[in-house]
Amino acid sequence: MGLVLRIEPDPGLWIGVPDTWPSGDWGSPEEWSTDLAKILSGGSEQHEVSDAGGSAEGGEDAPAPGGALQGALMVLACSRLDYPADRTYAYLGGLPASLCTLDVAVFPAEGEAGERHRYLGRADAPGSVGAVQVDDYTTEALGRGSRVLRFDRGEEMDGDAELLASLRYFWRVGEEDVAVNVSAPGPLHLVEMIPAVEALLESIEVVSA
C-alpha cells in the first residue's frame, strides 16, 4: 500500500471535482457542472454537495446558470477523466469571475529530491519572466518541501502577450513524491489565492506511508 493522504479543505473555499461517474447525485460531468453552476450562482435547485467538498452562494452579479461558469466546470470535470490527479479541487473564492484549481498527485520518487522537484517545477527552464522564486515550504504532516512560483509569457493576442503564472509545491515522503499544482487564469488570481492554497496544504494528513 502506497502513500495515502487525507485532505480536509475549507468547504467554503474549495469543492472536490469527481473523477468517476456516477458520483453522488450526479450521473455525468454535464449534470454535475450544470447543478453546481446553479448552486454557485444562487440558483434555486440545490443538491447536497458534501461528496464534492462544499458549496457557496453566488451574488447578484453572478452569471446565469448554464453560462460560462457551467462551461468551465464541464471542461474541468471532463479533464479529470483524461488527466487524472489523485485529487482536484475548484477554488470557490474566485467564482464566478474565474475558475482556479488545485491538483494533488502522489507518484514514485525518482532521483535526488531537490533536483527532481526543481525539474518538475521548471525552476531552471529558460524563458521565465523575472527570476523563478524557489522557497522551502514545510507542513507538519509532509515535512520540508519546496514551493516554485514562475511567470512566463503566453501567446501574443492583438500585440500583447499574456503573463502566465504557475505555482507548484513538492515533498518527498518515503519512496514517493507529493506534488501540488495550482492553476489560475492570471497572476493576480493566483497570488490572491495563495493563503487559501496554503491553508489547504496545512490540512493534509498522512494516513499511511
Side-chain angles (χ1 to χ4, degrees), residues 55-177:
S55 63
E57 296 181 358
E60 294 181 359
D61 295 330
L69 177 57
Q70 188 274 334
L73 290 167
M74 175 73 170
V75 170
L76 176 61
C78 290
S79 72
R80 291 282 285 133
L81 304 178
D82 296 328
Y83 305 100
D86 291 284
R87 318 274 178 87
T88 294
Y89 299 93
Y91 177 57
L92 304 178
L95 296 175
S98 62
L99 182 61
C100 307
T101 61
L102 180 149
D103 295 313
V104 182
V106 178
F107 46 88
E110 295 182 26
E112 192 275 328
E115 293 180 1
R116 180 61 175 168
H117 296 165
R118 289 185 70 92
Y119 170 78
L120 293 172
R122 302 186 65 241
D124 303 307
S128 66
V129 177
V132 179
Q133 300 176 35
V134 182
D135 306 295
D136 289 343
Y137 188 82
T138 301
T139 72
E140 182 176 352
L142 299 176
R144 182 179 176 181
S146 60
R147 173 178 58 194
V148 182
L149 176 61
R150 178 187 170 100
F151 297 92
D152 290 277
R153 292 285 183 193
E155 296 182 3
E156 288 196 10
M157 299 289 289
D158 298 325
D160 294 324
E162 182 182 12
L163 186 63
L164 306 176
S166 61
L167 178 63
R168 299 180 176 93
Y169 299 78
F170 301 96
W171 292 267
R172 175 69 52 88
V173 182
E175 299 299 318
E176 294 178 277
D177 279 342

